[in-house]
């Protein structure tokens, strides 16, 4: 059985440590122009990943779906691309990372919705 619940929560905890370290650097260096990047890192990286992990833990049938591993990979790659793009944009650079990452992240969240809705009759 896949342990996507553990993987999501573990990766979420990595995101929160990265967000805390980044936030500490922001405060210490007074680079407040990166505040949005910090927020996205914590909300999309930490909060959403941990919530997805808790959904997988609460509803074990979700992780048995053929879509589950693909959804995990798409979402986490999307968040990584989005965060890289956000940091670059907040630093004054133009990049497609942000747009591509945002679309991939939205696709990953949509895949979670489909996964949950598809398996919801089995959850009761």
């Amino acid at each position: 059985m896949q342990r996507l619940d553990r993987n999501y929560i573990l990766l979420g905890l990595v995101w929160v440590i990265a967000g805390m370290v980044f936030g500490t650097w922001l405060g210490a260096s007074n680079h407040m122009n990166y505040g949005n990047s910090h927020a996205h890192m914590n909300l999309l990286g930490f909060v959403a990943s941990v919530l997805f992990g808790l959904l997988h833990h609460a509803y074990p049938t979700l992780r048995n779906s053929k879509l589950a591993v693909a959804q995990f990979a798409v979402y986490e790659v999307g968040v990584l691309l989005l965060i890289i793009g956000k940091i670059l944009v907040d630093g004054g650079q133009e990049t497609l990372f942000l747009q591509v990452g945002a679309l991939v992240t939205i696709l990953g969240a949509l895949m979670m919705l489909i996964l949950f809705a598809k398996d919801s009759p089995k959850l009761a």
Side-chain angles (χ1 to χ4, degrees), residues 40-111:
H40 281 77
M41 189 178 294
N42 285 306
L43 291 173
L44 294 175
F46 170 61
V47 175
S49 293
V50 170
L51 286 174
F52 287 169
L54 292 173
L55 280 172
H56 277 285
H57 185 74
Y59 303 102
T61 58
L62 293 179
R63 62 182 163 221
N64 295 330
S65 171
K66 293 176 185 176
L67 183 62
V69 173
Q71 185 277 327
F72 173 81
V74 167
Y75 182 78
E76 292 298 336
V77 167
V79 170
L80 181 62
L81 293 173
L82 187 148
I83 298 303
I84 290 169
K86 192 70 184 109
I87 290 169
L88 292 171
V89 167
D90 287 350
Q93 297 179 31
E94 292 194 27
T95 179
L96 286 177
F97 275 102
L98 181 59
Q99 294 88 338
V100 171
L103 292 173
V104 174
T105 301
I106 291 168
L107 176 62
L110 179 62
M111 289 169 73

